[in-house]
Amino acid sequence: MRARLFTIAAGALVVVLAGVAAFVVFGGGSDDRRLVAHFTSAVGITPGSSVRVLGVAVGTVTEVVPQGDTVRVVMEYDAEQPVPADAMAVIIPPSVVSDRYVQLSPAYTKGPVLNDNAELPTSRTAVPLELDEVYRALDEFNRALGPTGANRDGSLSDLVDTGAANLDGNGENLHDTIDGASTTLKTLSDGRNDLFGTVADLQEFTTMLAKSERLVRQFNGRLATASEQLAGEGPELEATLRSLSVALAQVATFVRDNRELLSQDVAALTDVTTVLVRQQQALIEVLDVAPLALANLNLVYNPRSGTLDTRDNLLGPYGPATYVCSLLVNLVPAAQVPDVCMALARDLVERGLPLPDPLRKLLGLPPSSPAVKKPVMVAPPSVGSDPTLAGILPLPGRR
C-alpha cells in the first residue's frame, strides 16, 4: 500500500513539473513586449501582420479593433529589440515582395526605450495614401477644371492659349530668368546673416526714431524752415555759386601758372614753421614778458637827466656762457651741442647755481617749476616830466 502511494505521489510530481516547464517554455516565459497604436485607418492590417524595424521582422499584430474614427492595433515585439521612446508606428504599403506591415521608426541607437504596454496616439502614427483616394482627388481636380467647372466659359482654354503664345520663342529668356532668380536666391542665402543684421539694425533705428518723435518733428520743422530760406535766397545763392566758380577757375589758373613759385614758398614756409615749432617755448615767454617790458621801458626814461633809470639785466641770473649754450640747445640737435656746454651744465649743477631749462634738458633733468613772476614796475616820474619814449629822442636845441 505504501509503495502504491509513493508511486502515485511521484507521478503527480512529474506531471506538475512538466506543466511548469510547459508554462515557462510556451506561455509565461515569453519575452515579448506589448504596444498599442491608434491609426486613422488600417487597410490591409490584420492579426498576424508583421511588425518590423528597418524592414526586419521583430513581432506581429495581435489585435485590430475599430474604435470610432480610429483603429486600435495591438502589437507584440521581441523585448530584446529596443525601440526608441519617441518612435512612431507607420503602415507601409505593399510591394512586389511583401504585404502591408507596421514599421516602428526610427531604429534605436541610444537613449530611453519604449516601455512595455506603451500606447501611441494618432499624432505618432501614419498611414499611406490609398490609390482610390488618389484617383478620387484627381477626378475632383479634373471636374473642377473641366467643362462643368473653371472651363465652363472657355477661361481655362484661353489661359492655356495665352500662356502658350507668351512662352512661344521665349524659352531661352525664361531659362535665363530662372537661372538669374536662382543666383539671386543663392546670394541672399549666402548673405542672410548680413541681411538679418541689417534688418535688426533698421528695427533698432526705427525704434529710436519712434522714441525721439518730438526731436524728429523739431528737426523736420527746422529743416523745412532752412529749405524755405534757401529757396527764398535762390538768386543770391546762384550768384554766389557763379562767382565762386569764376574765382575757383582764376585760382586754378594762378596755381597752374605759379606752380614752381608756390612750391618754393611752401618749402620756405615749412622751414619757418619748423623754426617756430622748435622755438615755441621761447615765443611763449616773449609774449608773456614783452608787454611788461614795453611798459617798463616807457617809464624808465628820466627827462630831468635825459637818461634811462635802469640797469642792463638782459641775461637774468645766468652768465653769458650759460645764455649762449641755452640758445645752442634750442637751435641745434643735441648731438651737435658742443661738449663745453655739457661740462658747463654739470658744473652749474655741482655748484648749485641757477640752471636754465634748455641745459636741464641737455642733462636729462626735469624742467624747473615755473616761479610766479611779479611785475617790476619803475616808479612813475615826477609831475611835469615826460613819461613817454618821445623824451628819449634828441630834440632840436636840446642836449
Side-chain angles (χ1 to χ4, degrees):
M1 184 67 178
R2 182 178 298 176
R4 186 178 178 182
L5 291 175
F6 180 77
T7 303
I8 294 173
L13 180 60
V14 170
V15 172
V16 170
L17 292 176
V20 171
F23 178 78
V24 171
V25 173
F26 299 102
S30 174
D31 293 334
D32 291 343
R33 288 195 173 192
R34 185 171 177 272
L35 174 63
V36 179
H38 296 272
F39 294 90
T40 56
S41 64
V43 178
I45 299 298
T46 59
S49 295
S50 178
V51 177
R52 304 184 183 184
V53 174
L54 295 179
V56 179
V58 297
T60 58
V61 175
T62 59
E63 295 182 26
V64 179
V65 182
Q67 291 185 339
D69 296 336
T70 62
V71 179
R72 181 173 178 269
V73 177
V74 181
M75 297 166 278
E76 291 183 354
Y77 62 94
D78 189 359
E80 295 182 357
Q81 175 62 47
V83 178
D86 58 347
M88 295 184 60
V90 183
I91 297 177
I92 305 300
S95 62
V96 177
V97 296
S98 66
D99 295 331
R100 294 197 176 196
Y101 59 90
V102 179
Q103 176 101 315
L104 301 180
S105 178
Y108 179 80
T109 55
K110 61 179 180 179
V113 298
L114 201 63
N115 296 327
D116 190 16
N117 292 318
E119 192 163 348
L120 304 181
T122 55
S123 60
R124 295 180 59 181
T125 61
V127 297
L129 185 65
E130 302 298 335
L131 187 60
D132 56 345
E133 295 179 357
V134 177
Y135 288 157
R136 188 182 306 112
L138 291 175
D139 182 66
E140 292 177 357
F141 179 72
N142 291 332
R143 290 177 182 274
L145 297 180
T148 59
N151 201 31
R152 182 182 295 107
D153 299 330
S155 301
L156 183 60
S157 299
D158 295 340
L159 176 63
V160 173
D161 294 339
T162 303
N166 291 332
L167 295 177
D168 186 20
N170 293 318
E172 184 176 357
N173 295 333
L174 182 61
H175 171 270
D176 295 340
T177 301
I178 296 176
D179 184 68
S182 175
T183 304
T184 302
L185 293 177
K186 183 178 183 304
T187 303
L188 291 176
S189 177
D190 295 340
R192 59 184 178 276
N193 293 331
D194 297 335
L195 180 61
F196 291 153
T198 302
V199 173
D201 294 340
L202 184 61
Q203 179 185 5
E204 294 180 0
F205 178 71
T206 53
T207 303
M208 181 187 65
L209 290 181
K211 293 180 179 179
S212 304
E213 182 180 1
R214 182 180 61 83
L215 296 177
V216 172
R217 288 184 177 180
Q218 185 178 3
F219 172 75
N220 291 333
R222 293 179 178 178
L223 185 60
T225 302
S227 300
E228 293 177 358
Q229 292 178 354
L230 291 177
E233 298 177 358
E236 292 80 0
L237 182 59
E238 181 181 358
T240 302
L241 294 177
R242 188 181 300 108
S243 301
L244 181 60
S245 175
V246 174
L248 291 177
Q250 294 176 353
V251 170
T253 303
F254 174 79
V255 171
R256 184 178 61 254
D257 296 341
N258 300 276
R259 181 176 303 174
E260 184 177 356
L261 296 176
L262 289 175
S263 300
Q264 296 176 0
D265 293 341
V266 171
L269 183 61
T270 302
D271 296 337
V272 174
T273 306
T274 304
V275 174
L276 292 177
V277 171
R278 294 173 62 179
Q279 298 298 327
Q280 181 179 5
Q281 187 62 34
L283 291 175
I284 293 175
E285 293 179 1
V286 169
L287 293 177
D288 289 339
V289 177
L292 179 60
L294 292 176
N296 289 337
L297 182 61
N298 183 40
L299 298 175
V300 295
Y301 173 69
N302 188 348
R304 293 180 179 179
S305 61
T307 60
L308 296 176
D309 294 341
T310 183
R311 63 186 181 88
D312 186 10
N313 193 20
L314 296 177
L315 301 182
Y318 311 113
T322 305
Y323 183 76
V324 172
C325 286
S326 299
L327 290 179
L328 289 175
V329 172
N330 288 329
L331 294 176
V332 300
Q336 299 179 9
V337 176
D339 295 337
V340 67
C341 290
M342 180 70 71
L344 175 63
R346 292 173 179 170
D347 182 62
L348 292 177
V349 172
E350 293 176 357
R351 297 169 60 185
L353 297 176
L355 186 66
D357 286 341
L359 294 185
R360 298 178 68 88
K361 178 181 177 183
L362 184 63
L363 295 177
L365 300 176
S368 60
S369 57
V372 180
K373 298 181 180 180
K374 297 182 179 180
V376 180
M377 301 297 294
V378 178
S382 60
V383 180
S385 62
D386 184 4
T388 65
L389 290 176
I392 301 177
L393 302 176
L395 296 178
R398 181 179 178 182
R399 295 182 180 179

